[in-house]
Amino acid sequence: MTWNVDEVAMNSRLVMGTGGASSLSILEQALEASGTELTTVALRRYDGTARDSVFALLQRLGIRILPNTAGCYTARDAVLTARLAREALETNWVKLEVIADEETLLPAPVELFQAAEELVLDGFTVFAYTNDDPALAKRLEDAGVAVVMPAGAPIGSGLGILNPHNIETIVSRAQVPVILDAGIGTASDAALAMELGCTAVLLASAVTRAHDARAMARAMSLAVESGHLAAHAGRIPKRPLALASSTFDGDGDPEMSAVDNPGPLVEPLDSLSPREFERYARHLSLPGIGVEGQRRLRAASALVIGAGGLGAPVLHYLAAAGIGTITIIDDDVVEASNLQRQVLHRGADIGRAKVDSARDALLRLDPLLEVHAVAKRLSPANVLELFASHDLVLDGADNFATRYLSNDAAELTGTPLIWGTILSLRRTGEHLRSGHGPMLRDLFPDIPEADSVPNCAEGGVLGVLCGTIGSAMATEAVKLICGIGTPLIGRLLRYDALESDYSTLRFSPDPDREPVTDLAEVAVACAAARAEADGDGADRRDEIGVDEYLADPSSALLIDVRADWERHLASIPGSVHLPLGVLQVEGWPAVETLVTLLPREVVIHCKSGARSAQAVQLLRDAAPESVRLRSLDGGIDAWSASEHETVQSSGQTAVSGSHHT
């Protein structure tokens, strides 16, 4: 891949100097072996009449000359030398050197900056030799220099790169090429400069003073190329202890290594704007992300399923990280009970579609984001198109049907999928990518029953835990997009908040599992889940409407199976509190303790009808045949919607209404 200065493209990233060679013959061999296309020469060595000069050699080899102002100690001398070079060599390019003293040969910052400003105004393309100070390098760039050239160590010292962090910082902040100049001693130094993100390396003494200049020139060329490739490939993370590179089980296929990284997910944008450089400055100085990683983030598109407890922090951090395009899909509306954990939404958003509230929140954070709001439920009808049109998907849904729908769509489309889930005070999360590791069905082949775990309303959820999980999901997305670190492929991450304990479950593809070929099975589960959510899944013979109950309330025992705190908000007059958890342990005998004479009918209610329907199923076999069990359709929500009176309960469990004695 070429690099450019002043619209001049160059293939070689090794820039050669000419000082220190014992003869023109040795210099010629070194230049040819290096493959360089750009060589810097001090103007003081120029002799326009000599046939065997360095300048004549470079012209014969077809190598572009970059005159430098070596030997200048003031801005005035450097500017004068640059102008002489332009006249003599007919080039506006100049390597600007203004030296502080003969002993260190380090730049004189004040004089350097003054000369740079003047030369830029005079139309020069300035390659500025500077120290490894990121602030000075940035000021030179702001002054208009075309290339920043920080010193790795003093000229000719061979000490290598004394401050890699500063070089990496300069690179991360620069919008112009950065060429590591001075201090290179051997090939590994040149490779390191490129791994730090430098555009190219300039060296002279390391080659011209080597025992075999030609061989060292070739070594430097290979080192620069390999360092550049390594920088783009991404190194593995450093670890304090060993980690096997692969594991084998008998003669079977090897399991996927935990350190396997499929590499960057997307190609980077061509460039970042000045606004983006400022906004994402703390990313740009991070090893593994830097400017190129941020360009990948800006190029990426993410689909987020759900704008609730998990979706809210996922969306917030993806937007803050600079993901270029975000699509949100959710068919729910904001409720007051959401605000305890769904941090994107505000009190003013209650009643609004969650996707609209979330979109507005993200655009408040960054008005230049591209955010698409889809106020629908993820379904077999839309899932494949949505997955195929995004680089990755993050699933924060709260039901098994959607979780398996996402998994199957990811397997069919090859789209990377990151999912997380919460159960009370615990969480799990994983990254699934078809072709790069096992999928959800390798661990849990069958779709569980919808009521096999309690939902948020029944089991509760620690609000801050959503932030922990959502942040972890967003972190996996950033790692995947940039191709850094060790992704959660073939690993299930678990977190117990009460114990402050993280653990990882490793698993591999099931060789006996049939691959997903269509959405037929999961479509049935989605239809059942939809029916249950719409109130169509229960047996209507087991339900009673609000109006029917009110026609003869004295003949029925009304049991509220909600939690104690829910009754503090509102309760139906005359209801008896018997939490679902008590019924699950004690069964029908718990009902018998409430009354002296059994009623003809027992009506059970909760918030919306789901828990009460579960209670009816639980009690049916044990209840006497003379007692009819029914669930209040729509629960207390339907009661309130019918504008019937509610009261605030005292919160005591199993206290009956006055009409049952």
Side-chain angles (χ1 to χ4, degrees), residues 291-599:
V291 175
E292 182 167 303
Q294 191 62 51
R295 285 161 50 204
R296 294 186 192 279
L297 292 171
R298 294 301 282 167
S301 62
L303 170 66
V304 179
I305 302 170
L310 288 177
V314 165
L315 288 164
H316 216 151
Y317 274 108
L318 290 184
I323 304 298
T325 303
I326 298 175
T327 299
I328 316 163
I329 183 167
D330 195 317
D331 66 342
D332 203 1
V333 298
V334 180
E335 300 179 1
S337 62
N338 300 151
L339 304 184
Q340 163 254 12
R341 63 197 179 280
Q342 299 179 18
V343 293
L344 278 182
H345 311 302
R346 306 171 300 177
D349 296 316
I350 293 174
R352 296 184 67 200
K354 286 185 178 179
V355 291
D356 293 337
S357 171
R359 178 196 57 212
D360 292 349
L362 298 189
L363 293 177
R364 285 194 297 270
L365 181 66
D366 183 356
L368 299 184
L369 287 177
E370 184 176 342
V371 184
H372 304 288
V374 181
K376 297 179 180 179
R377 178 173 297 205
L378 191 73
S379 70
N382 60 27
V383 66
L384 293 179
E385 181 179 355
L386 284 168
F387 272 53
S389 60
H390 291 83
D391 294 315
L392 78 165
V393 178
L394 296 98
D395 181 6
D398 59 359
N399 63 85
F400 288 123
T402 302
R403 176 71 22 82
Y404 277 79
L405 177 62
S406 296
N407 174 85
D408 292 356
E411 187 164 341
L412 289 171
T413 62
T415 308
L417 171 65
I418 300 166
W419 64 264
T421 186
I422 298 174
L423 176 58
S424 185
L425 294 164
R426 295 172 177 82
R427 60 86 60 185
T428 57
E430 183 187 15
H431 162 212
L432 305 168
R433 188 174 184 186
S434 181
H436 289 274
M439 303 295 288
L440 178 62
R441 287 185 183 271
D442 291 304
L443 187 62
F444 304 110
D446 301 317
I447 305 175
E449 295 294 330
D451 59 356
S452 58
V453 295
N455 58 31
C456 291
E458 299 168 356
V461 59
L462 182 64
V464 295
L465 190 57
C466 295
T468 303
I469 303 167
S471 297
M473 293 172 66
T475 300
E476 287 300 307
V478 171
K479 288 163 54 181
L480 187 62
I481 291 168
C482 295
I484 61 173
T486 305
L488 282 174
I489 299 176
R491 295 186 297 152
L492 185 71
L493 179 65
R494 298 173 292 184
Y495 175 57
D496 187 323
L498 287 183
E499 299 298 327
S500 297
D501 178 59
Y502 285 93
S503 60
T504 302
L505 172 66
R506 298 178 185 273
F507 66 107
S508 57
D510 181 357
D512 298 324
R513 177 177 71 85
E514 292 293 328
V516 175
T517 57
D518 55 46
L519 300 177
E521 179 193 1
V522 76
V524 175
C526 288
R530 181 75 189 192
E532 182 176 343
D534 293 341
D536 297 330
D539 187 342
R540 290 300 181 183
R541 295 172 299 177
D542 293 337
E543 291 184 343
I544 181 173
V546 172
D547 291 338
E548 183 182 354
Y549 167 76
L550 286 173
D552 186 16
S554 61
S555 64
L557 170 64
L558 181 62
I559 298 177
D560 183 352
V561 295
R562 297 177 300 155
D564 181 71
W565 64 267
E566 292 178 274
R567 286 177 61 84
H568 281 285
L569 298 175
S571 63
I572 298 175
S575 63
V576 177
H577 186 211
L578 191 59
L580 180 61
V582 175
L583 286 176
Q584 290 171 329
V585 174
E586 300 181 12
W588 178 256
V591 178
E592 293 180 328
T593 62
L594 300 180
V595 293
T596 54
L597 295 174
L598 287 177

Side-chain angles (χ1 to χ4, degrees), residues 30-48:
L31 291 174
E32 289 180 330
S34 72
T36 186
E37 298 171 70
L38 181 65
T39 298
T40 180
V41 185
L43 183 64
R44 66 176 184 269
R45 301 177 62 184
Y46 177 69
D47 183 351

Side-chain angles (χ1 to χ4, degrees), residues 52-68:
D52 57 351
S53 68
V54 171
F55 292 90
L57 171 63
L58 295 177
Q59 289 174 347
R60 178 162 54 83
L61 295 177
I63 298 174
R64 190 182 186 101
I65 297 173
L66 175 63
N68 69 43

Side-chain angles (χ1 to χ4, degrees), residues 20-100:
S22 58
S23 69
L24 279 178
S25 175
I26 290 177
L27 178 60
E28 180 175 1
Q29 293 177 33
L31 291 174
E32 289 180 330
S34 72
T36 186
E37 298 171 70
L38 181 65
T39 298
T40 180
V41 185
L43 183 64
R44 66 176 184 269
R45 301 177 62 184
Y46 177 69
D47 183 351
T49 63
R51 290 185 174 182
D52 57 351
S53 68
V54 171
F55 292 90
L57 171 63
L58 295 177
Q59 289 174 347
R60 178 162 54 83
L61 295 177
I63 298 174
R64 190 182 186 101
I65 297 173
L66 175 63
N68 69 43
T69 62
C72 295
Y73 291 87
T74 66
R76 181 176 177 278
D77 288 346
V79 170
L80 177 60
T81 302
R83 287 170 177 163
L84 290 173
R86 179 164 59 184
E87 292 297 323
L89 300 173
E90 299 181 346
T91 178
N92 284 324
W93 285 22
V94 64
K95 180 191 174 190
L96 177 60
E97 295 184 25
V98 186
I99 303 303

